[in-house]
């Protein structure tokens, strides 16, 4: 993985974690995997300020931090379209995960985690963030954006189930089909869902 990252442009990562030892371990894992750690913070407020100043490719936020917690910081960073966010949590409760998603987190990791968990979470966050950027460039209004995202998410799920595609492959297929047929991604997604309904199964 480190070689892959070195071959491509190294991704710049900002870490926010109030426990210094965990922060150190995390920074070490990231560097070993070929990422550049461009900033570190011990609280959410500093994390938001550093994210605005440094414009990293990714921000990793612990959920429990002083001054401003990770969820509030995620809302500011993701809401300002500064960078994708991965949330770290010692808890895997559904309500916290849902709150992290609502705050704009693209992925989350439950502590303690291994290096083998870290890279996939980062790649998912980067991939989802770039997908949203593509969708938002296509749609102006907020309500329509949310509806488009819902349709594309459901259509991706159908393609993944039916053709054993990965999530990025399904998104690229929808994107390419839209370009080839001069349609919007929403139109392609809606067509996939309509075909699936016609086969007699309710969309998942």
């Amino acid at each position: 993985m480190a070689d892959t990252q070195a071959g491509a442009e190294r991704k710049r990562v900002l870490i926010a974690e109030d426990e210094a030892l965990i922060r150190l371990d995390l920074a070490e894992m990231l560097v070993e995997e070929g990422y550049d750690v461009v900033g570190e913070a011990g609280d959410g407020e500093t994390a938001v300020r550093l994210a605005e100043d440094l414009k990293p490719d990714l921000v990793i936020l612990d959920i429990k931090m002083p001054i401003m917690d990770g969820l509030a910081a995620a809302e500011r960073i993701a809401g300002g379209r500064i960078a994708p966010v991965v949330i770290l949590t010692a808890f895997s409760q559904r309500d916290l995960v849902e709150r992290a998603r609502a705050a704009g987190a693209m992925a989350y990791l439950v502590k303690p985690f291994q290096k083998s968990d870290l890279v996939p979470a980062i790649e998912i966050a980067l991939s989802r963030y770039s997908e949203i950027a593509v969708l938002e460039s296509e749609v102006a209004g907020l309500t329509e954006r949310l509806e488009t995202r819902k349709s594309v998410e459901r259509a991706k799920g159908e393609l993944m189930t039916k053709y054993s595609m990965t999530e990025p492959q399904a998104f690229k297929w929808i994107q390419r089909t839209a370009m080839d047929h001069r349609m919007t991604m929403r139109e392609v997604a809606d067509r996939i869902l309509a075909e699936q309904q016609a086969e007699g199964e309710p969309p998942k």
Side-chain angles (χ1 to χ4, degrees), residues 42-73:
D43 65 81
E45 197 171 87
T46 306
V48 172
R49 195 178 67 247
L50 285 174
E52 288 169 348
D53 291 346
L54 298 168
K55 301 282 190 291
D57 296 307
L58 180 89
V59 180
I60 299 177
L61 297 169
D62 185 38
I63 210 162
K64 302 277 187 195
M65 286 189 291
I67 306 173
M68 182 192 289
D69 70 15
L71 292 175

Side-chain angles (χ1 to χ4, degrees), residues 59-134:
V59 180
I60 299 177
L61 297 169
D62 185 38
I63 210 162
K64 302 277 187 195
M65 286 189 291
I67 306 173
M68 182 192 289
D69 70 15
L71 292 175
E75 274 179 347
R76 294 267 299 277
I77 293 164
R81 292 289 176 266
I82 297 168
V85 171
V86 174
I87 286 279
L88 298 180
T89 174
F91 316 96
S92 56
Q93 290 106 315
R94 179 168 283 279
D95 67 322
L96 272 180
V97 171
E98 289 305 320
R99 282 173 63 206
R101 282 206 186 116
M106 297 286 140
Y108 72 97
L109 274 171
V110 178
K111 296 189 284 189
F113 54 85
Q114 306 298 316
K115 202 192 321 185
S116 57
D117 304 319
L118 180 63
V119 175
I122 288 174
E123 294 306 316
I124 286 167
L126 291 168
S127 166
R128 285 184 178 157
Y129 187 76
S130 64
E131 286 179 12
I132 288 167
V134 169

Side-chain angles (χ1 to χ4, degrees), residues 1-197:
M1 174 69 201
D3 292 341
T4 316
Q5 276 295 112
E9 195 178 322
R10 289 166 71 94
K11 297 290 181 193
R12 300 164 66 255
V13 183
L14 168 65
I15 305 168
E17 160 66 68
D18 63 329
E19 291 183 49
L21 276 176
I22 296 176
R23 200 163 67 231
L24 195 68
D25 281 350
L26 185 53
E28 206 171 275
M29 282 185 202
L30 287 163
V31 170
E32 281 172 9
E33 289 298 321
Y35 297 94
D36 275 340
V37 177
V38 293
E40 296 183 28
D43 65 81
E45 197 171 87
T46 306
V48 172
R49 195 178 67 247
L50 285 174
E52 288 169 348
D53 291 346
L54 298 168
K55 301 282 190 291
D57 296 307
L58 180 89
V59 180
I60 299 177
L61 297 169
D62 185 38
I63 210 162
K64 302 277 187 195
M65 286 189 291
I67 306 173
M68 182 192 289
D69 70 15
L71 292 175
E75 274 179 347
R76 294 267 299 277
I77 293 164
R81 292 289 176 266
I82 297 168
V85 171
V86 174
I87 286 279
L88 298 180
T89 174
F91 316 96
S92 56
Q93 290 106 315
R94 179 168 283 279
D95 67 322
L96 272 180
V97 171
E98 289 305 320
R99 282 173 63 206
R101 282 206 186 116
M106 297 286 140
Y108 72 97
L109 274 171
V110 178
K111 296 189 284 189
F113 54 85
Q114 306 298 316
K115 202 192 321 185
S116 57
D117 304 319
L118 180 63
V119 175
I122 288 174
E123 294 306 316
I124 286 167
L126 291 168
S127 166
R128 285 184 178 157
Y129 187 76
S130 64
E131 286 179 12
I132 288 167
V134 169
L135 288 178
E136 291 190 345
S137 68
E138 191 179 271
V139 182
L142 181 62
T143 309
E144 201 181 334
R145 261 185 213 175
L146 292 171
E147 290 305 316
T148 296
R149 273 171 65 178
K150 277 187 208 164
S151 287
V152 171
E153 283 299 315
R154 287 167 66 205
K156 276 196 309 188
E158 289 303 326
L159 293 174
M160 287 159 71
T161 304
K162 205 168 181 179
Y163 302 106
S164 303
M165 292 183 182
T166 63
E167 195 175 337
Q169 283 172 340
F171 182 82
K172 284 197 177 106
W173 189 91
I174 294 169
Q175 191 179 18
R176 194 174 61 245
T177 304
M179 287 169 74
D180 289 349
H181 296 277
R182 293 187 177 153
M183 297 165 72
T184 65
M185 291 177 70
R186 170 80 183 272
E187 287 167 342
V188 174
D190 286 346
R191 193 168 284 191
I192 291 165
L193 295 169
E195 280 173 14
Q196 199 274 343
Q197 265 183 316

